[in-house]
Short mmCIF file of all heavy atoms in Angstrom, two decimals:
data_model
loop_
_atom_site.label_atom_id
_atom_site.label_comp_id
_atom_site.label_asym_id
_atom_site.label_seq_id
_atom_site.Cartn_x
_atom_site.Cartn_y
_atom_site.Cartn_z
N LEU A 275 70.38 -50.35 -32.37
CA LEU A 275 69.00 -49.96 -32.07
C LEU A 275 68.95 -49.17 -30.77
O LEU A 275 69.50 -49.60 -29.76
CB LEU A 275 68.11 -51.20 -31.95
CG LEU A 275 68.06 -52.11 -33.17
CD1 LEU A 275 67.33 -53.40 -32.83
CD2 LEU A 275 67.37 -51.40 -34.32
N PRO A 276 68.27 -48.02 -30.81
CA PRO A 276 68.15 -47.25 -29.58
C PRO A 276 67.38 -48.04 -28.53
O PRO A 276 66.46 -48.80 -28.87
CB PRO A 276 67.37 -46.00 -30.02
CG PRO A 276 66.74 -46.36 -31.32
CD PRO A 276 67.60 -47.40 -31.95
N LYS A 277 67.76 -47.85 -27.30
CA LYS A 277 67.08 -48.52 -26.20
C LYS A 277 65.60 -48.14 -26.21
O LYS A 277 65.26 -47.04 -26.64
CB LYS A 277 67.73 -48.05 -24.88
CG LYS A 277 67.61 -49.06 -23.77
CD LYS A 277 68.47 -48.67 -22.61
CE LYS A 277 68.04 -49.50 -21.42
NZ LYS A 277 68.77 -49.22 -20.24
N GLY A 278 64.74 -49.02 -25.76
CA GLY A 278 63.31 -48.69 -25.73
C GLY A 278 62.56 -49.45 -26.81
O GLY A 278 62.91 -50.58 -27.14
N ASN A 279 61.55 -48.75 -27.40
CA ASN A 279 60.63 -49.40 -28.32
C ASN A 279 61.29 -50.16 -29.45
O ASN A 279 60.94 -51.31 -29.72
CB ASN A 279 59.69 -48.37 -28.92
CG ASN A 279 58.45 -48.27 -28.08
OD1 ASN A 279 58.20 -49.16 -27.25
ND2 ASN A 279 57.69 -47.20 -28.23
N ALA A 280 62.24 -49.54 -30.13
CA ALA A 280 62.83 -50.14 -31.33
C ALA A 280 63.51 -51.44 -30.96
O ALA A 280 63.36 -52.46 -31.65
CB ALA A 280 63.83 -49.19 -31.96
N ARG A 281 64.24 -51.41 -29.86
CA ARG A 281 64.97 -52.62 -29.47
C ARG A 281 63.99 -53.71 -29.02
O ARG A 281 64.15 -54.87 -29.35
CB ARG A 281 65.95 -52.28 -28.35
CG ARG A 281 67.16 -53.19 -28.39
CD ARG A 281 68.10 -52.92 -27.25
NE ARG A 281 68.92 -51.73 -27.45
CZ ARG A 281 69.69 -51.23 -26.48
NH1 ARG A 281 69.70 -51.78 -25.28
NH2 ARG A 281 70.41 -50.15 -26.70
N ARG A 282 62.97 -53.29 -28.30
CA ARG A 282 61.98 -54.27 -27.84
C ARG A 282 61.29 -54.92 -29.03
O ARG A 282 61.06 -56.12 -29.07
CB ARG A 282 60.95 -53.59 -26.94
CG ARG A 282 60.93 -54.18 -25.54
CD ARG A 282 59.72 -53.79 -24.74
NE ARG A 282 59.22 -52.46 -24.97
CZ ARG A 282 59.67 -51.36 -24.37
NH1 ARG A 282 60.64 -51.44 -23.48
NH2 ARG A 282 59.16 -50.18 -24.64
N ARG A 283 60.96 -54.07 -30.02
CA ARG A 283 60.28 -54.58 -31.20
C ARG A 283 61.18 -55.59 -31.92
O ARG A 283 60.73 -56.62 -32.37
CB ARG A 283 59.89 -53.44 -32.14
CG ARG A 283 58.74 -53.84 -33.01
CD ARG A 283 58.18 -52.70 -33.89
NE ARG A 283 58.23 -51.37 -33.32
CZ ARG A 283 58.92 -50.37 -33.89
NH1 ARG A 283 59.63 -50.57 -34.98
NH2 ARG A 283 58.89 -49.17 -33.35
N PHE A 284 62.45 -55.28 -32.02
CA PHE A 284 63.39 -56.20 -32.66
C PHE A 284 63.37 -57.57 -31.97
O PHE A 284 63.22 -58.61 -32.60
CB PHE A 284 64.82 -55.63 -32.63
CG PHE A 284 65.86 -56.65 -33.03
CD1 PHE A 284 66.06 -56.97 -34.37
CD2 PHE A 284 66.62 -57.31 -32.07
CE1 PHE A 284 67.00 -57.92 -34.74
CE2 PHE A 284 67.57 -58.26 -32.43
CZ PHE A 284 67.75 -58.57 -33.77
N TRP A 285 63.49 -57.55 -30.64
CA TRP A 285 63.55 -58.83 -29.93
C TRP A 285 62.23 -59.60 -29.99
O TRP A 285 62.20 -60.81 -30.07
CB TRP A 285 63.98 -58.63 -28.47
CG TRP A 285 65.46 -58.32 -28.39
CD1 TRP A 285 66.03 -57.20 -27.88
CD2 TRP A 285 66.54 -59.16 -28.84
NE1 TRP A 285 67.40 -57.27 -28.00
CE2 TRP A 285 67.74 -58.46 -28.58
CE3 TRP A 285 66.62 -60.40 -29.44
CZ2 TRP A 285 69.00 -58.98 -28.90
CZ3 TRP A 285 67.86 -60.92 -29.77
CH2 TRP A 285 69.03 -60.22 -29.49
#
Side-chain angles (χ1 to χ4, degrees):
L275 302 171
K277 207 169 165 180
N279 269 344
R281 210 183 282 172
R282 241 194 325 275
R283 204 174 327 119
F284 169 78
W285 286 120

